[in-house]
Amino acid sequence: MSQINAIGLDREETQNVIESLNRLLSCYQIQYMNARGFHWNIKGRDFFELHVKFEEIYNLLLEKVDEIAERILTLGGEPLHAFSDFIELSQINEVKNVSDGGQAVQSLVDGYSTLIKMQRKVLSDAGDNQDEGTAALMSDYIKEQEKLVWMLKAYLD
């Protein structure tokens, strides 16, 4: 059997990227559900502003969940799809019963900081494997989320 897969990447290195992407997918699923919960449960003076912002955020997260799962499939892997796997592998903790805007925004900042760190690692591993597709995806996510973290932190200040 060839060491190179159908899209020209080293099989063993690609398996490492697939595993990292599944861990990232798990984190995205938890971050998504946290954002959904914040959208549903937000209360207070900033309700109207944050309700809309949290919906925007969870829609962005859901889009990335699908893109990451499809990238795993493209690489020849199988994306995780059970919540028990997501809970087990996620480096982002689920957050329950938060209705305070500041607490919700801080939780999102913390989650995005984790995602950015993980994406930098996937970017590096993908680059080492000459996996431009995965590297480009991670680069786009990092750029978008660095700006979002800045904006969310500005809200907190």
Side-chain angles (χ1 to χ4, degrees), residues 19-33 65 68-69 72 79-94 115 118:
E19 290 171 11
S20 293
L21 286 171
N22 263 319
R23 283 190 296 277
L24 185 63
L25 178 63
S26 297
C27 291
Y28 264 97
Q29 286 284 23
I30 302 304
Q31 182 83 338
Y32 166 77
M33 286 308 299
V65 162
I68 292 168
I72 291 167
L80 297 174
H81 58 274
F83 241 88
S84 56
D85 291 330
F86 300 148
I87 295 287
E88 180 182 334
L89 291 177
S90 180
Q91 294 178 23
I92 297 174
N93 294 322
E94 63 180 350
L115 290 172
M118 292 178 75

Side-chain angles (χ1 to χ4, degrees), residues 40 45 56 71-72 108 110 115 120 137 147 157:
W40 291 331
R45 180 173 305 199
E56 175 188 321
R71 186 65 194 164
I72 291 167
L108 288 173
D110 294 343
L115 290 172
R120 285 191 178 118
L137 198 61
K147 183 175 181 180
D157 291 339

Side-chain angles (χ1 to χ4, degrees), residues 38-53:
F38 301 151
H39 170 76
W40 291 331
N41 294 305
I42 193 67
K43 291 182 171 91
R45 180 173 305 199
D46 296 329
F47 170 83
F48 291 105
E49 177 183 0
L50 290 177
H51 184 74
V52 171
K53 187 63 175 177

